[in-house]
Amino acid sequence: PEPEPPTAPFHAPSPPKDPVSPIMPPLPPELFKNGKSLINMNCKKYRDGVLAIEGHQAGFASQARWMAKCMAEDCVQSLETIGCRWLSKNRFCYLDEGQTFCNKNPTNPYCYDGQKLYYGGEGTKWRPPYDLITTSTKPYRCSCMKHCSATPLKRAWCVDPSLPPIGTGSDFTDYNFAVSEGKMGHCVCSCGGINNA
């Protein structure tokens, strides 16, 4: 099975356990490469600890920013036709080929069903798939707004600013919003008060 990421970010609820089996099936090439799940780029950077590789352990701000970037990518994918029903063990969206594979092989033990496990049940839509993320400094939560984008200075443009954020965070209460039809298909996510801009 895929190893846990170095940052061990997830706190609650606990990740699903791997199926009890004497021999796990081979890693599907649609889902894995070199033993790691095929996920969006910023989620991959977060998972693999890119900041630590650069020579220092990521602090709270760096970890939260990378997670916000990861959540924004997954949020955008959830708005596309392929969607983001199927997740890796670490709760990040599989890429398009992985979504197609899991749609065809829903009982494969490496296909984690976000609708049933994290989003709220059959037919529910993507949301940040955990309640709390723990870091070496302090825990934080994430929230996202669909069809929106923002700047680091908390200025945001949305197709419909009246739509509420999704997720357990409350990071958008002090944003200045404006209407923009051009933000269809975009997402802004904020983790611990730091957004993906």
Side-chain angles (χ1 to χ4, degrees):
E2 180 187 3
E4 294 291 330
T7 50
F10 302 118
H11 177 72
S14 299
K17 294 181 179 180
D18 287 327
V20 177
S21 173
I23 299 176
M24 287 292 286
L27 299 179
E30 297 87 350
L31 304 181
F32 292 89
K33 183 176 182 180
N34 298 325
K36 292 187 175 182
S37 55
L38 295 171
I39 55 180
N40 284 311
M41 182 60 65
N42 285 317
C43 297
K44 181 179 178 181
K45 288 180 178 179
Y46 182 88
R47 179 196 66 191
D48 296 343
V50 64
L51 298 174
I53 294 172
E54 291 174 356
H56 63 278
Q57 178 60 43
F60 166 74
S62 294
Q63 290 194 34
R65 181 171 290 107
W66 279 108
M67 178 56 82
K69 289 178 179 291
C70 166
M71 290 294 95
E73 279 189 310
D74 280 2
C75 177
V76 167
Q77 181 177 320
S78 76
L79 299 175
E80 298 170 352
T81 301
I82 194 67
C84 178
R85 176 170 184 167
W86 303 102
L87 308 177
S88 69
K89 182 177 180 179
N90 294 319
R91 312 185 197 186
F92 300 136
C93 301
Y94 281 124
L95 298 179
D96 291 12
E97 190 175 9
Q99 297 293 325
T100 300
F101 173 86
C102 290
N103 281 331
K104 295 179 179 178
N105 301 275
T107 60
N108 185 282
Y110 300 109
C111 294
Y112 294 95
D113 189 342
Q115 289 186 358
K116 294 180 179 179
L117 294 170
Y118 307 117
Y119 305 159
E122 189 71 30
T124 51
K125 298 183 182 299
W126 181 89
R127 61 184 295 277
Y130 36 77
D131 295 326
L132 189 69
I133 302 165
T134 57
T135 70
S136 60
T137 53
K138 61 180 179 179
Y140 61 92
R141 303 176 188 276
C142 293
S143 55
C144 298
M145 294 190 70
K146 297 179 179 181
H147 307 298
C148 296
S149 67
T151 71
L153 299 178
K154 300 185 177 182
R155 173 78 172 163
W157 294 265
C158 301
V159 174
D160 183 356
S162 68
L163 293 177
I166 53 175
T168 56
S170 57
D171 294 341
F172 296 102
T173 56
D174 57 349
Y175 275 58
N176 293 315
F177 288 97
V179 175
S180 174
E181 294 295 332
K183 300 306 177 182
M184 183 68 69
H186 294 251
C187 287
V188 57
C189 294
S190 182
C191 296
I194 300 173
N195 69 33
N196 60 284

